[in-house]
Amino acid sequence: MAEMPTNDVLNELRKIDTPTITNIVATYPRNPLCLGLYNPWAENWYTDTSIRCIYPEMGAIVGHAVTCVFGLPDPNFTGRLSFMDVVDALDAMKRPTILVIQQKWPAALMAKAGLAGEIMVTSMKAVGCIGMLSNGPSRDVDAVRRLNFQMLLGGVTAGHGEMAVHAVNVPVSVGGMDVAPGELIHMDENGAVKFPADKAGQVLDNARKMLEGEAEHLARLRAATTAAEVRAAGGAYVAKRAE
């Protein structure tokens, strides 16, 4: 069985920004600190510009993904699933969790379905959920801000109509990122990235080493006053060697 990350590892990952995490996961495959978990361009492992962070001041969060799909009620399927099934899935997953919701609406409704409000979020928090990632909008952002619950969304809107849960804990695609249940999601105001939970310790160790190297590099660059000195300082980017 793969080793799951400890709470200490997750807490330390929250101190690191999401772009640094992407650098370690796959962005720089030639860097010895990069784990190369995905082909950077060919795989969908981080979010695109369709997603925005609602509470950038909150900083980074990291949690185990629980997934679901929402859309219009289907008369052939209505009543089979409810939001309580989502809550049950959150409760069953190792904490902390992040709920990843793929919203599937007709094009005319996609920007109008303000899905998760204060009541849904409060229910999610009760079972260890600390944030939500969704390709559609949500609402009650002032009330949710007071709950210290991060949301990365397609936008915000005030209302919605009748809706239904179509699936729980299935592979989903949100904002250009494919997510499977149980994967770790790290997200902040820059967006979200995924990686296997059993890689968390390696991601943390390598991210710390990369930040140390970048700090040294930046110190040299800040002392530079000419192009020659920038070049001597290592140029625009220098890889931190593995230790």
Side-chain angles (χ1 to χ4, degrees), residues 10-61:
L10 296 182
N11 288 337
E12 290 300 309
L13 283 169
R14 293 187 68 166
K15 299 176 183 178
I16 299 173
D17 62 281
T18 300
T20 295
I21 300 299
T22 69
N23 289 348
I24 297 304
V25 171
T27 294
Y28 295 120
R30 296 184 181 181
N31 188 312
L33 291 173
C34 179
L35 298 178
L37 299 179
Y38 312 103
N39 180 311
W41 291 123
E43 304 300 324
N44 297 322
W45 55 282
Y46 64 96
T47 54
D48 58 28
T49 59
S50 66
I51 302 297
R52 68 183 180 94
C53 181
I54 305 302
Y55 311 115
E57 71 281 358
M58 192 177 297
I61 66 169

Side-chain angles (χ1 to χ4, degrees), residues 154-167:
V156 296
T157 188
H160 62 72
E162 188 176 0
M163 55 191 179
V165 178
H166 289 189

